[in-house]
Amino acid sequence: MGFVSNNNAHLLSKMATNDGHGEKSPYFDGWKAYDNDPYHLTKNPDGVIQMGLAENELCFDLVQEWVVNNPEASICTAEGANEFKEISIFQDYHGLPAFREGVAKFMGKVRGDRVRFDPDRIVMSGGATGAHEMLAFCLADPGDAFLVPTPYYPGFDRDLRWRTGLQIVPIICESSNNFKITEEALESAFQRAKESNIRVKGLLITNPSNPLGTVLDRDTLRTLVAFINRKNIHLICDEIYAATVFDQPHFISIAEIIEEKDQQNCNRDLIHIAYSLSKDMGFPGFRVGIVYSYNDAVTNCARKMSSFGLVSTQTQHLIGSLLSDDVFVGKFLVESAERLAKRHEMFTKGLAQVGIGSLKSNAGLFIWMDLRRLLKEPTVDAETVLWKIIIHEVKLNVSPGSSFHCSEPGWFRVCFANMDDATLKIALRRIRSFVLQRSKGVEEPAKRKCWQSNLQLSLSSRRLDDIVMAPHMMSPHSPISSPLVRAT
């Protein structure tokens, strides 16, 4: 049963009724389109396939096997019921010791045990969303700003700004250098804020990147640390995709950088990490978010604030048991990387067969797809027109670059790890049909869903070097240049 508006918005607070949540965005509109017409193999084969959800469902069988073999880890089983009372009445917002120790150990393991994390600095929050808002509250006053490189996760507009009054000043990154964060771009953003009388309190980075699926190299991380120390502002590192790296180069945490010998003058009070198990383990429903700060005052303040978003002790108990199993964790991390690599290759090769390129990536649950050549003109309006066709006719929920504040129209984030192989193949068939029809200039009747149930195409399994492309298309991050697409 839905709620009927009675136009009593004036009875609510200005904060509750403003547009700070950011729902008026193609990113969220795509979700609504999926919710209204969700794809199902048998019940709704012509529905929208969800490719806008960065969810990791590739290793649930491993977790489920562990749960079955370790029933004592849950207080809701006969084997674990003897701990039901103790876990149920636990109220310490520091968290269960086993949980904090398990998370700290897992964070180190994900980073190749090249750095150690202190369990006493593990602060709980309601997912990464809660972690980011908590850090915003601790580090900035209303009206202050964080610098954030573009393109960036659309949810930051909500997580950082809605209830805190924080502003975001974009650091403009471009495809000409694969969206690398440069010192020039950092200085430019900082000066723009200064000229607008906006006080910059921090720099927020996502590593590995959402939506790019890339990792920051050591030199870039050192540049960032030098920049924030020079400006005396905070560095917030969102590392929630740390265990989704499936190919070289390996992930480098900010925790490793500040341990280097030449970083002795680094002010560690300015360094903070946001983490969660939503992406690396595929547990978004558990709402396990973490703030890890090297600043004692921030750690103490965040721990007090965590009362507003604690992880349930039932979840803490289960997670603590799971992450303390070294054999399971080792197997999970290896298998997860292998499955992500296989899925990434399957998807990018399928796109390449019709001349669709993407930014070269080695991490994350998505690719940054390049559809610039399909735009009638290089504008956000043209990108929006193309996105609406993909949503409403091709029936794929992909997210346009404009919702990620990308400065160049025509890029789209496409998620590939939240579905089974069969669904991914159907999505690729729809994309293939769409590109082929568009290149031929064939206009289908509005009501005919030619890229769905009527489609009988099968994807070719030929090698990439057998596909007819311009030579520079062999790079996975090149713009679209297939003869079929160029015909448009």
Side-chain angles (χ1 to χ4, degrees), residues 265-278:
N265 294 325
C266 169
N267 183 358
R268 294 195 178 194
D269 283 346
L270 300 176
I271 308 296
H272 322 276
I273 296 173
Y275 188 60
S276 85
L277 299 182
S278 297

Side-chain angles (χ1 to χ4, degrees), residues 168-199:
I168 291 178
V169 175
I171 301 167
I172 306 301
C173 302
E174 301 173 341
S175 64
S176 58
N177 65 349
N178 297 325
F179 298 98
K180 185 175 181 179
I181 308 169
T182 65
E183 192 161 3
E184 293 76 17
L186 289 166
E187 287 288 353
S188 177
F190 189 88
Q191 289 305 316
R192 287 201 317 274
K194 186 176 181 181
E195 291 167 5
S196 299
N197 294 318
I198 298 173
R199 183 172 65 163

